[in-house]
Amino acid sequence: MAIKKLLYLLIFLLLSFSIKAQQETIISGHVSEIGTNGGIPFVNIYFKGTLIGAITDFDGNYYIKTSTPKDSIYVSLIGYKSKAKKVQKGKTQVINFQLNQEALNLNQVEIRPGINPAIRIIRKAQLNKTKYDRDNLNAVQYVSYTKQEADVDNITPKMRRWRLFRPFAAMWDSLDVIAGEESKANLPVMMSEVISEIYSFNEGEKKHEDVTAVKIKFVGMKDGSAVSQLTGTDFQNYNFCKNNVAVQAKDILSPIADNAMLFYNYILVDSVTIDSMKCYKIDCHPKNKKDLAYTGYIWVTDTTFAIKQLDLGITPEVNVNWIDHARIQQVLTPTESGPWVPSQTRTLVDYTTLTDKFVSMVVRTYNSNKNFVVNKPKEKDYYKTRIQYAENALTKDTSWWGENRHEQLSQLESKSYDMIDTVRNIPFIKKGVNILYFLFSGYKDVGPVDLGHYINVYGYNAYEGTRLRLGFRTNQKFSKTWIIRGYGAYGFKDQGFKYNLQLEKILTKYPWSKAGIQYRDDIDQIGTSFNYSNNINLGQSPNNLNSVFAQIGNISKLVRKQEARIWYEKDFNRGFNTKITFQNIRTNPLFPVIFGDQFNIFQTRKYSITEILFDTRISVKERFVQNGTERISFGNNKSPIITFNYTLGIKDLLDGDFNYHKASISFSNRIRMATLGYSQVFIKAGKVFSQIPYTLLEIPRGNENIFYGNNIFNKMNYFEFVSDQYIQAFWQHHFNGLLLNRVPFIKKYNLREIFGINMVYGTLSAKNKNFNSNNSFTVMDDVPYFEGDLGIENIFGMIRIDYLYRLTYNDDFYKKDYAAANPGNKISNWGIKIGLQFSF
């Protein structure tokens, strides 16, 4: 009887469990963005009218288990259209959501008596941000994994039928199935993964990176090592404890910046528990939609007031070029020393579609850091090498990556790797990549030799007439360490051939060191010198149009030079570069010139100089990459750049005619002010301590063509002033639309204001006045030369127009005196010049 009762009880319990299991509803899924197909973290998923729900994790995944479900489940997130889907009660199911962006329509904030609780929390976060700033760690090391993907998006079904895209039809269909029912797969053009061990040392801002593995596929890849250097953590360093957090080199104001309350509205949305920490969820959005500020959420911890996680973006209304929207999501974790470090960061940049009939680009980056060790620095010598690759870094197999990547690839990402190989081998794509490379680099790849640069092909001056020039350089197909470069030029008026030939040897890449030898026979303007070291700096605004047209015109004060030089340069530490040059230059002025005083006239206008030059450059936060045999700088907008030059002239060595000493020092810096814009400052001072021809003295660079040039005097004539001791200063403030963003009917054009002042003051010593007294040139009196600049940039995203006014040396007496000494040359007090620049 007892056994029978026990059996009934067991059956009853099994039936109860079965009924309960049938009543439970289990829902899991993934939330992604239509168009970019990227997972969206921190999305609210819930049953309307209940407290039942979940928030997606950092990869966009969610999981809900309940016994009291509703008929539908909803998702909502600021900046996206909310959605709902049907739920099958009592079943385990997968429900994925794909969300579409929508324009933000933030309700008006009602201010009531008392303190906005969000403001109190933000003020506490501002007071504590220095304590939590990871840059205050003495040293930190960690293992980093970075994954990056670039896709061509906005490819419509009609575009897919274009002849260009037909080879991808079958693969695209399979990708569409993976992408989801509401989205279309993009065309992948780059996928990369990097696993590194990072070591940072705050003293001297030193950094060392041991690259364990690199996996990269890129449609336009010529050298995978160069692209791999752009995929590491240095390019994903978003630190919101700083006042400004840059996106694509454009400074955006942090929501907890010192002056953030002038530009942001804050709303306390919720309080939640994250990793056992109570956090306040705060909605941040700019007071003016055009200002350089973020829109989204930050989660601030209770009591400690540190940012635990964030989800911030740039909306299309913000005055940033070429970007439709951008998004940064980050999770931070505290260290034992106090500062918080990012454990996961995800970024998305969706570039603007120029027209409805044109495609655009979306770039996604995921970064994961773990195994942090803080305030235990290595020996200082350990940081001398900036980056080091393991011997098998580029050859790790699939199984190794499967075991070691911090986040497994999605099915769509795995397929993208295969599709890139298909894309890059299509002849039409190869041709298009080569055209883009030519436009960007200025050189046409012809096997082991590159031909160019195209901006130097044509020139015109009074002596040569029409001038044609063709240059070349060898690439890594020729040699990975030896470089031969040069050019040949021909003037049709003087019927003379000119040329340059130089040989360079890369001694080491990390740290950088190179030696070179050169011989050149060509014609130059006085006051200019040839850039024989060929350093490429993408961080500087190019003067290409000005450089091209500076070679075209009735330029009369020219000299023919035969230059022979040998040089050696080396990085002795991060940001500390030195170069020593030994050169002999034989100069033949192509215009009347006489040197010497009344007792010692230098009888011939030809002269020779032999020099030793010492150059030092300090640029602590400048970032370089090695592109084959070229070293490319991405500029330095975070710290000052200081340069020093000393030149020693030696008489009688290789027929040198003069003993002399020269020295100069320069300082440049970008002063970043986020929503207030930024100021660019360049100051240079120098002195010539000896008696030499005025063609070797300081001649400030003027500009007589219609195109604007940076760090030159745009209202000064060529060769207008001469000095042997001088100071030059260039200051320009870019307001980034601070004023024009608030002007009705104009703000929609994203125009940006510029204001600047340029100054130079130079004097000429008595000994150099006497030595050059038989020549015609101008020396400043007690008044410096000043010119003002008022401009508008970002016209159609790339054009700037400047109104310039000459503030001194503009009276009639000076103009008349200058015209008498320089027949045919006039001075105008004002002018308008045009510039071309691409900026975000």
Side-chain angles (χ1 to χ4, degrees):
M1 194 69 180
I3 294 175
K4 192 173 183 179
K5 289 182 179 179
L6 185 61
L7 184 61
Y8 284 138
L9 178 62
L10 183 61
I11 292 172
F12 175 78
L13 290 173
L14 287 173
L15 288 172
S16 298
F17 283 132
S18 176
I19 292 170
K20 185 176 181 180
Q22 288 178 4
Q23 290 176 341
E24 275 193 330
T25 302
I26 299 174
I27 308 171
S28 62
H30 183 253
V31 181
S32 60
E33 182 181 75
I34 291 178
T36 66
N37 299 319
I40 309 176
F42 317 139
V43 180
N44 296 310
I45 303 180
Y46 58 95
F47 293 104
K48 186 173 285 189
T50 74
L51 296 177
I52 302 169
I55 297 176
T56 58
D57 64 15
F58 202 70
D59 301 318
N61 300 314
Y62 74 94
Y63 178 87
I64 298 175
K65 182 178 181 181
T66 180
S67 57
T68 57
K70 297 289 185 178
D71 293 332
S72 299
I73 191 169
Y74 292 79
V75 295
S76 66
L77 182 66
I78 187 171
Y80 292 90
K81 293 180 180 179
S82 298
K83 278 190 175 181
K85 286 193 174 184
K86 293 291 184 182
V87 171
Q88 294 179 320
K89 295 181 179 180
K91 292 187 177 182
T92 298
Q93 56 210 281
V94 175
I95 302 178
N96 295 324
F97 288 91
Q98 292 178 303
L99 303 184
N100 224 335
Q101 292 182 56
E102 69 173 351
L104 292 175
N105 186 17
L106 299 169
N107 295 325
Q108 185 176 357
V109 179
E110 183 179 354
I111 300 176
R112 298 178 178 178
I115 298 176
N116 178 352
I119 296 295
R120 180 187 66 84
I121 297 167
I122 292 296
R123 283 176 177 164
K124 291 284 189 180
Q126 289 173 329
L127 292 173
N128 286 278
K129 68 178 182 176
T130 302
K131 180 175 25 175
Y132 301 129
D133 187 351
R134 60 181 177 269
D135 288 347
N136 292 328
L137 290 168
N138 181 40
V140 61
Q141 67 184 69
Y142 53 93
V143 178
S144 176
Y145 166 74
T146 303
K147 173 177 63 179
Q148 196 166 53
E149 179 178 356
D151 298 334
V152 175
D153 68 344
N154 292 324
I155 303 176
T156 64
K158 183 178 179 180
M159 292 179 187
R160 289 192 178 192
R161 294 192 293 271
W162 290 356
R163 183 178 178 183
L164 166 64
F165 296 129
R166 286 176 190 168
F168 317 138
M171 186 172 289
W172 236 329
D173 290 341
S174 63
L175 289 177
D176 282 343
V177 174
I178 301 171
E181 59 186 16
E182 299 172 79
S183 189
K184 291 290 184 181
N186 296 323
L187 177 65
V189 293
M190 192 273 283
M191 282 283 296
S192 72
E193 296 176 273
V194 180
I195 295 180
S196 305
E197 291 188 49
I198 310 292
Y199 303 84
S200 295
F201 186 30
N202 207 18
E203 183 180 321
E205 299 185 345
K206 298 174 182 176
K207 191 168 186 177
H208 174 81
E209 182 173 1
D210 284 329
V211 180
T212 306
V214 177
K215 184 176 183 181
I216 185 164
K217 289 189 178 181
F218 180 38
V219 168
M221 184 167 59
K222 289 179 177 291
D223 178 15
S225 64
V227 180
S228 68
Q229 295 168 64
L230 304 178
T231 60
T233 57
D234 274 6
F235 285 80
Q236 306 300 326
N237 186 21
Y238 301 100
N239 184 353
F240 284 84
C241 287
K242 302 298 185 185
N243 287 331
N244 308 314
V245 182
V247 174
Q248 299 292 301
K250 177 66 73 175
D251 286 337
I252 313 294
L253 191 71
S254 167
I256 60 170
D258 295 336
N259 62 337
M261 291 187 187
L262 296 174
F263 299 93
Y264 279 98
N265 284 322
Y266 303 95
I267 302 172
L268 178 59
V269 177
D270 197 3
S271 61
V272 295
T273 300
I274 305 173
D275 295 337
S276 302
M277 300 178 190
K278 182 181 178 182
C279 298
Y280 299 109
K281 181 180 180 182
I282 298 177
D283 173 5
C284 314
H285 55 272
K287 294 179 179 180
N288 186 315
K289 293 181 180 181
K290 306 292 289 184
D291 282 342
L292 296 175
Y294 290 98
T295 297
Y297 298 108
I298 58 174
W299 286 259
V300 180
T301 58
D302 186 16
T303 68
T304 58
F305 297 99
I307 294 180
K308 170 59 181 171
Q309 66 186 30
L310 57 91
D311 182 3
L312 298 171
I314 301 173
T315 63
E317 291 84 6
V318 175
N319 192 343
V320 177
N321 287 341
W322 319 115
I323 293 178
D324 184 57
H325 78 285
R327 202 174 195 98
I328 302 171
Q329 290 132 348
Q330 195 171 68
V331 174
L332 296 104
T333 185
T335 64
E336 58 189 19
S337 299
W340 290 54
V341 291
S343 57
Q344 291 177 298
T345 303
R346 189 186 304 278
T347 65
L348 181 146
V349 179
D350 192 0
Y351 293 93
T352 303
T353 304
L354 298 179
T355 70
D356 293 337
K357 297 182 179 180
F358 203 73
V359 299
S360 63
M361 180 81 71
V362 59
V363 178
R364 292 191 298 271
T365 304
Y366 171 80
N367 174 249
S368 169
N369 303 316
K370 61 184 182 181
N371 301 338
F372 286 95
V373 177
V374 299
N375 293 339
K376 294 181 181 179
K378 301 284 187 181
E379 294 181 358
K380 291 185 179 181
D381 289 346
Y382 187 80
Y383 301 95
K384 285 185 176 180
T385 304
R386 170 65 185 80
I387 189 167
Q388 189 168 334
Y389 289 85
E391 290 185 4
N392 60 346
L394 289 165
T395 58
K396 301 289 189 182
D397 59 22
T398 302
S399 61
W400 187 95
W401 280 101
E403 295 173 2
N404 289 276
R405 58 169 60 97
H406 294 191
E407 179 194 65
Q408 295 304 310
L409 297 180
S410 66
Q411 191 177 1
L412 187 61
E413 288 169 335
S414 298
K415 287 285 187 181
S416 294
Y417 265 126
D418 298 330
M419 191 168 183
I420 290 171
D421 283 334
T422 302
V423 174
R424 66 188 297 187
N425 290 318
I426 295 174
F428 185 86
I429 298 294
K430 284 185 175 180
K431 186 176 180 179
V433 167
N434 288 334
I435 292 173
L436 290 174
Y437 179 80
F438 172 70
L439 294 174
F440 174 76
S441 70
Y443 286 86
K444 175 69 175 72
D445 183 349
V446 184
V449 175
D450 298 337
L451 299 179
H453 195 287
Y454 58 75
I455 70 170
N456 296 317
V457 170
Y458 177 79
Y460 180 88
N461 59 65
Y463 185 81
E464 295 177 280
T466 297
R467 168 189 167 104
L468 298 180
R469 170 175 150 177
L470 180 63
F472 76 95
R473 67 185 184 190
T474 58
N475 54 43
Q476 62 177 357
K477 296 176 185 177
F478 173 82
S479 173
K480 293 183 178 180
T481 57
W482 288 97
I483 310 164
I484 302 173
R485 69 175 89 234
Y487 64 80
Y490 183 78
F492 287 85
K493 183 176 179 180
D494 69 335
Q495 298 183 352
F497 182 74
K498 298 89 184 176
Y499 64 93
N500 173 62
L501 187 63
Q502 59 192 77
L503 175 67
E504 300 163 51
K505 169 68 173 176
I506 300 173
L507 303 175
T508 58
K509 290 188 176 182
Y510 306 102
W512 175 261
S513 63
K514 185 172 75 169
I517 187 171
Q518 176 207 26
Y519 185 81
R520 176 175 178 263
D521 183 350
D522 204 349
I523 292 174
D524 291 327
Q525 301 178 28
I526 63 170
T528 64
S529 58
F530 180 69
N531 179 23
Y532 58 89
S533 57
N534 290 281
N535 294 321
I536 302 172
N537 190 341
L538 299 182
Q540 294 179 344
S541 297
N543 284 342
N544 287 345
L545 283 175
N546 182 270
S547 299
V548 169
F549 283 87
Q551 304 175 81
I552 302 172
N554 192 28
I555 302 166
S556 56
K557 290 189 177 181
L558 302 170
V559 291
R560 180 138 191 180
K561 296 179 180 178
Q562 287 82 40
E563 304 174 340
R565 60 173 54 92
I566 185 170
W567 72 93
Y568 170 75
E569 64 176 301
K570 179 179 174 61
D571 285 352
F572 284 94
N573 208 333
R574 186 184 179 191
F576 187 80
N577 176 272
T578 59
K579 181 168 64 177
I580 182 170
T581 305
F582 177 76
Q583 63 186 22
N584 177 261
I585 302 176
R586 298 173 186 267
T587 303
N588 180 19
L590 302 177
F591 58 97
V593 59
I594 300 174
F595 307 122
D597 55 36
Q598 57 181 328
F599 303 108
N600 182 26
I601 296 178
F602 197 74
Q603 296 294 339
T604 177
R605 66 181 184 178
K606 295 182 180 180
Y607 60 90
S608 176
I609 58 172
T610 301
E611 295 179 325
I612 300 176
L613 292 82
F614 299 91
D615 292 284
T616 299
R617 187 173 187 271
I618 302 171
S619 181
V620 175
K621 294 187 177 181
E622 189 166 9
R623 177 68 192 270
F624 295 91
V625 298
Q626 310 293 337
N627 182 30
T629 56
E630 299 294 324
R631 188 192 197 205
I632 300 174
S633 168
F634 277 77
N636 181 1
N637 294 326
K638 298 181 179 179
S639 68
I641 301 173
I642 300 171
T643 65
F644 174 77
N645 168 267
Y646 170 73
T647 302
L648 172 65
I650 306 172
K651 187 176 181 179
D652 297 328
L653 179 62
L654 299 178
D655 298 325
D657 290 314
F658 309 102
N659 283 317
Y660 55 91
H661 304 270
K662 292 182 182 180
S664 68
I665 186 169
S666 70
F667 170 92
S668 65
N669 194 21
R670 173 176 285 194
I671 303 169
R672 306 161 73 189
M673 306 177 193
T675 51
L676 300 179
Y678 66 92
S679 283
Q680 191 72 44
V681 178
F682 177 78
I683 302 171
K684 182 179 180 182
K687 183 175 177 63
V688 179
F689 297 89
S690 310
Q691 177 180 278
I692 54 176
Y694 84 93
T695 52
L696 297 175
L697 297 177
E698 175 63 20
I699 301 174
R701 186 71 183 272
N703 180 15
E704 296 181 16
N705 64 66
I706 65 169
F707 294 103
Y708 183 87
N710 290 289
N711 293 343
I712 64 176
F713 298 96
N714 285 281
K715 285 308 299 170
M716 183 186 291
N717 283 4
Y718 295 137
F719 332 122
E720 187 170 342
F721 297 104
V722 174
S723 60
D724 58 11
Q725 52 186 353
Y726 61 92
I727 181 168
Q728 301 177 0
F730 300 86
W731 172 72
Q732 197 169 88
H733 188 79
H734 299 252
F735 288 92
N736 282 337
L738 179 67
L739 305 177
L740 295 177
N741 283 347
R742 289 157 173 78
V743 179
F745 308 112
I746 294 179
K747 60 183 181 180
K748 65 181 180 179
Y749 296 107
N750 285 343
L751 303 178
R752 302 170 187 168
E753 322 84 344
I754 311 167
F755 178 77
I757 291 286
N758 301 330
M759 183 277 293
V760 59
Y761 181 61
T763 60
L764 193 63
S765 63
K767 59 185 176 183
N768 271 316
K769 282 183 180 178
N770 292 332
F771 190 68
N772 294 282
S773 61
N774 295 305
N775 301 281
S776 175
F777 53 81
T778 306
V779 179
M780 291 184 186
D781 51 30
D782 295 334
V783 179
Y785 170 88
F786 279 98
E787 63 182 29
D789 181 0
L790 185 62
I792 297 177
E793 61 182 343
N794 206 41
I795 302 170
F796 303 118
M798 64 184 72
I799 297 172
R800 65 178 286 175
I801 298 177
D802 292 79
Y803 173 83
L804 298 128
Y805 191 81
R806 185 173 173 130
L807 299 170
T808 57
Y809 296 94
N810 59 357
D811 57 273
D812 292 337
F813 177 80
Y814 174 80
K815 292 180 183 178
K816 184 177 179 180
D817 192 50
Y818 177 81
N822 301 271
N825 284 9
K826 294 183 179 180
I827 289 176
S828 62
N829 290 344
W830 67 275
I832 295 176
K833 294 188 183 288
I834 301 171
L836 184 65
Q837 60 184 27
F838 294 89
S839 62
F840 285 97

